[in-house]
Amino acid sequence: MKSKKSIIQSAVSTLELEAAAILNVARNINDDFEKVVSSILQGKGRVIVTGIGKSAIIAQKIVATFNSTGTPAIFMHAADAIHGDLGMIQVDDIVICLSKSGNTPEIKVLVPLLKTANNLLIGMVGELNSFLAEQADLILNTSFEKEACPHNLAPTTSTTAQLALGDALAICLLECREFNEADFAKYHPGGSLGKKLYLKARDLALANEKPSISPTASVKDVLIEISKNRLGAVAVIDSANHVLGIITDGDIRRMLENNNSIAGLTAEDIMGKSPKSIQFDALAVDALDIIKQNNITQLLVLEQNTYFGIIHLHDLLNEGIV
């Protein structure tokens, strides 16, 4: 069993080796990288990313990043390619082949077939004197000093270099396409990430009741309205649906603490007269910011100057926005 000190040192050593590999990849960025970006931007087809072993796993991640940032891509396993999957490659597609050595048997079989089809072949390769590097039209250099594995066998540093270079390529393409948050939301509609980008305040408010009361309403009517709608608050509005204030559970408690008798009190007497609000077409994540900054649990939603509804902190929690 290793000592605590040696375990920590092992982790630090691995991370330092992999960090150095990424820096080396950065130093090796050259004109071929720019040509790859330009070719993909100008291309009419998709990007086919292929590899074998651990490189295949990295290829799948690169494909996922491409697709989510506006570059249509498909993963093709190098071994499956020679058993029928080559059929997924269309005339205008660009192929990126990942390989640590560039000399594996599957790569040596696959590359000539790819060259025959005349698709642009990009080799993301760690050995520049390899079969893949010699056959590729353009090279993305992921050469490195050694694997983090003490036996220099398990792909560790090499796959980190591939992953980092794939990210650099995806982000460069994203920036060239001026791919923005609205575009990102189209490809990420599910989960908390997507909801932060597209869910609006109106979407949450419409799912709730719309509690409201007139300024002359009695305290009893206020309590009934708050209890009925289970939002812990009610908006005080005038005849034109303009918000005059808000009454929350907290306002009710403070009223009871400060008054021996509630007879004759109206909604106008106990309401908060400067309620926090948000426009109905604002993002739900902006509503969360207002709620957090003001340490409140309910937020009024307005459509221009009129009352639209209420958002409760629980709505944001339920949607996974928090």
Side-chain angles (χ1 to χ4, degrees):
M1 179 67 181
K2 281 181 170 290
S3 66
K4 178 180 177 180
K5 182 177 180 180
S6 62
I7 289 172
I8 292 173
Q9 183 54 49
S10 174
V12 171
S13 177
T14 296
L15 293 171
E16 287 178 345
L17 279 170
E18 297 195 351
I22 292 175
L23 291 174
N24 189 60
V25 169
R27 286 191 289 268
N28 288 330
I29 295 291
N30 56 20
D31 289 347
D32 271 17
F33 184 90
E34 184 278 328
K35 290 175 182 177
V36 169
V37 171
S38 296
S39 298
I40 293 174
L41 289 172
Q42 296 167 12
K44 298 178 181 179
R46 307 153 302 175
V47 179
I48 310 296
V49 189
T50 187
I52 192 79
K54 304 301 186 293
S55 292
I57 297 172
I58 300 301
Q60 291 179 68
K61 193 278 177 184
I62 292 174
V63 164
T65 304
F66 277 170
N67 282 323
S68 68
T69 53
T71 298
I74 295 178
F75 168 70
M76 180 183 70
H77 197 283
D80 293 336
I82 58 178
H83 294 286
D85 279 5
L86 274 173
M88 72 173 62
I89 303 177
Q90 304 299 307
V91 175
D92 295 319
D93 291 343
I94 294 171
V95 180
I96 301 178
C97 185
L98 278 65
S99 178
K100 170 187 171 181
S101 69
N103 288 314
T104 58
E106 294 85 356
I107 296 300
K108 287 187 174 182
V109 172
L110 176 61
V111 167
L113 299 173
L114 295 173
K115 297 290 287 184
T116 301
N118 293 320
N119 294 88
L120 180 67
L121 176 60
I122 299 161
M124 184 182 290
V125 61
E127 179 52 66
L128 298 186
N129 294 320
S130 65
F131 180 79
L132 174 58
E134 292 172 355
Q135 295 296 315
D137 299 305
L138 297 170
I139 295 174
L140 296 174
N141 185 354
T142 57
S143 58
F144 61 99
E145 183 177 348
K146 65 177 181 177
E147 299 285 11
C149 166
H151 309 297
N152 198 30
L153 295 173
T156 44
T157 309
S158 58
T159 48
T160 298
Q162 292 172 341
L163 185 63
L165 189 53
D167 284 344
L169 187 57
I171 297 305
C172 191
L173 289 164
L174 176 154
E175 292 175 345
C176 289
R177 296 183 195 279
E178 298 183 348
F179 191 87
N180 58 33
E181 288 186 353
D183 297 318
F184 198 80
K186 288 190 298 185
Y187 300 114
H188 297 78
S192 60
L193 178 59
K195 288 177 181 178
K196 286 180 180 180
L197 294 170
Y198 79 82
L199 194 66
K200 303 284 188 178
R202 63 168 174 258
D203 300 321
L204 297 176
L206 285 171
N208 291 330
E209 298 294 332
K210 189 178 176 180
S212 64
I213 202 86
S214 73
T216 57
S218 67
V219 172
K220 178 181 178 180
D221 290 336
V222 171
L223 288 169
I224 291 172
E225 186 69 9
I226 290 178
S227 299
K228 181 176 67 176
N229 292 286
R230 299 181 182 280
L231 288 169
V234 60
V236 182
I237 62 171
D238 63 18
S239 59
N241 201 34
H242 295 141
V243 173
L244 303 176
I246 188 173
I247 302 173
T248 67
D249 288 336
D251 294 322
I252 298 295
R253 288 193 296 272
R254 284 185 288 273
M255 173 201 65
L256 294 173
E257 290 172 356
N258 297 327
N259 294 275
N260 293 323
S261 173
I262 63 172
L265 290 178
T266 65
E268 189 173 22
D269 297 323
I270 61 176
M271 69 182 184
K273 297 181 180 179
S274 300
K276 299 302 177 183
S277 63
I278 191 169
Q279 285 297 316
F280 78 119
D281 57 352
L283 289 171
V285 68
D286 294 329
L288 174 62
D289 288 340
I290 296 173
I291 286 174
K292 290 169 64 177
Q293 290 168 10
N294 293 280
N295 195 28
I296 56 179
T297 53
Q298 300 95 349
L299 182 66
L300 295 181
V301 180
L302 305 181
E303 183 175 5
Q304 300 302 324
N305 296 319
T306 60
Y307 176 51
F308 186 86
I310 290 182
I311 293 175
H312 195 283
L313 176 60
H314 289 163
D315 299 327
L316 297 160
L317 287 168
N318 291 336
E319 293 292 343
I321 301 295
V322 178

